[in-house]
Amino acid sequence: MDKQQFDGLVDLFEKATDGEGNKLNMHSLLVKQADREFFHAFGGRTEPSDIRSLSKTVMALVLGTIVESRDDFTEETPVWPILEPLCTLTNEENREKLERVKIKHLMNHTIGYDKVLMMRGDIGHLDPSEYIDYIVNAPIVHEPGKHYLYSNAGFYLLSVVLQELLGEDLEDYVQRVLFNPLEITDYSWERYGKYLAGATRLWLHPHDLLKIGDVLLYEGAGIVSPKWIERMKQFTEFTPEQDTPTNPLFRRWAYGSSLWLGKKNEIFFGHGTDGQSLVIVPDREAVVITTAHQIDVVRLEELVDKAVALLY
């Protein structure tokens, strides 16, 4: 991609409208390919953006730093011994399944629920102190590891488990082990009670999001091992209900662990509600980022697909 192509892409975003004819509410577009970088802040925006479920990708990197630095904790570690003292289990039918839930099931949304949990709509009536109870008492219908259902429950529980395991505030750990090495200083991560939201509610600037993208592109970049990046990309389930096959390059063909998998060219990406994209295009040594607050993302995602196509 060259500057002329990037400027043309910005123009397309500026002129684009959603299904109701409203202009797209874009925050930023950033494309980095090898040593070339192009950036546009829509409306001159300087504030960080709520990156929504891209937070899950950050959490998975945080998890990797812990798994790779300890001998007593792996993705096979059961989570119930850590969670049980923190909650009141009233749905005893869940107990046996909870005892079989492992860290890896939190990573890839296979705890076994058949109801989406911990999204903004279903927790509005709850106090954050009730969130753990809410999750562990929701019916676990399927055997852990056997049924994929995307939600925020697993990554919130991951935040809880990691903080309890470490014995320190998880944000302090994240800052020390991930953000400080990447020189990410201007951020905020909302808490649900005394724990980070984990799955969501992280605010970052686009150039700081690019630093996360470089960790993914460059095989861990010294933060985690190349093996851990491959683990995050490991296939969990095909996702036809979220897939957009009309976008040949930027499509949610399948899910890994915190990352979505495209069908072509080993493209993978983080994806957040309302237009947050962190797309890794390994064979072009490229990262494509959008931040936005755009409910209808059909046209936005078509343009992200075009951005990726322009790399070829």
Side-chain angles (χ1 to χ4, degrees):
M1 184 181 293
D2 58 30
K3 188 175 186 308
Q4 183 177 359
Q5 290 174 314
F6 181 80
D7 289 345
L9 193 61
V10 169
D11 189 56
L12 289 175
F13 273 102
E14 295 272 18
K15 293 178 178 176
T17 55
D18 63 18
E20 296 184 352
N22 300 311
K23 287 187 174 297
L24 301 185
N25 187 8
M26 297 299 301
H27 291 174
S28 69
L29 173 67
L30 195 164
V31 178
K32 180 186 175 188
Q33 185 171 18
D35 59 353
R36 291 172 293 169
E37 183 179 313
F38 306 101
F39 175 68
H40 182 77
F42 294 88
R45 183 181 176 89
T46 59
E47 301 86 1
S49 296
D50 180 358
I51 65 168
R52 306 293 292 259
S53 284
L54 299 185
S55 307
K56 295 178 175 70
T57 305
V58 176
M59 277 293 299
L61 290 173
V62 172
L63 173 63
T65 69
I66 298 171
V67 168
E68 294 188 332
S69 65
R70 298 178 67 115
D71 296 327
D72 62 343
F73 183 75
T74 74
E75 63 177 274
E76 300 292 335
T77 298
V79 302
W80 185 237
I82 297 174
L83 292 174
E84 186 174 15
L86 308 175
C87 61
T88 301
L89 183 64
T90 56
N91 182 2
E92 280 294 331
E93 291 184 4
N94 273 0
R95 183 176 294 276
E96 287 189 6
K97 289 190 177 76
L98 284 167
E99 290 173 347
R100 293 193 288 274
V101 174
K102 300 177 179 181
I103 291 294
K104 64 183 180 182
H105 302 136
L106 308 186
M107 289 174 64
N108 65 4
H109 308 291
T110 61
I111 296 172
Y113 296 111
D114 66 352
K115 176 185 175 184
V116 176
L117 300 173
M118 291 297 293
M119 310 306 267
R120 300 187 187 200
D122 69 301
I123 59 174
H125 66 292
L126 296 173
D127 184 87
S129 64
E130 301 174 288
Y131 288 173
I132 303 174
D133 281 3
Y134 170 62
I135 296 169
V136 302
N137 288 299
I140 301 176
V141 176
H142 306 276
E143 182 65 23
K146 300 297 185 183
H147 179 74
Y148 164 87
L149 181 67
Y150 186 94
S151 82
N152 284 346
F155 279 86
Y156 174 64
L157 290 182
L158 184 60
S159 172
V160 173
V161 167
L162 294 184
Q163 180 159 305
E164 294 296 325
L165 174 80
L166 292 168
E168 69 170 308
D169 190 289
L170 184 59
E171 185 173 353
D172 292 341
Y173 177 86
V174 172
Q175 189 170 2
R176 184 175 73 254
V177 174
L178 182 62
F179 288 170
N180 285 352
L182 296 178
E183 299 183 350
I184 296 173
T185 57
D186 186 12
Y187 74 93
S188 61
W189 204 334
E190 187 171 323
R191 291 172 181 270
Y192 288 165
K194 66 178 184 177
Y195 303 105
L196 293 179
T200 187
R201 300 284 192 173
L202 173 60
W203 274 257
L204 286 178
H205 290 279
H207 282 93
D208 288 334
L209 194 51
L210 176 60
K211 296 169 185 176
I212 300 296
D214 279 345
V215 172
L216 298 171
L217 176 63
Y218 295 114
E219 299 184 318
I223 300 293
V224 293
S225 70
K227 182 179 178 182
W228 187 256
I229 301 299
E230 290 303 310
R231 175 62 188 87
M232 290 169 62
K233 292 158 54 181
Q234 184 176 311
F235 173 86
T236 295
E237 187 63 83
F238 292 112
T239 52
E241 292 184 4
Q242 288 77 38
D243 193 10
T244 51
T246 53
N247 297 338
L249 297 170
F250 182 62
R251 55 183 291 194
R252 286 185 277 174
W253 182 61
Y255 195 80
S257 288
S258 85
L259 293 169
W260 297 86
L261 311 177
K263 190 174 183 180
K264 292 185 176 181
N265 304 347
E266 297 185 350
I267 292 168
F268 63 96
F269 52 93
H271 181 281
T273 298
D274 293 351
Q276 326 314 315
S277 311
L278 176 59
V279 189
I280 312 301
V281 190
D283 69 340
R284 305 308 292 164
E285 197 181 343
V287 180
V288 177
I289 290 168
T290 61
T291 58
H293 187 64
Q294 176 61 39
I295 295 173
D296 175 1
V297 296
V298 173
R299 181 57 179 155
L300 186 157
E301 295 194 350
E302 289 173 352
L303 291 175
V304 174
D305 187 78
K306 183 172 182 64
V308 175
L310 286 171
L311 297 167
Y312 289 90

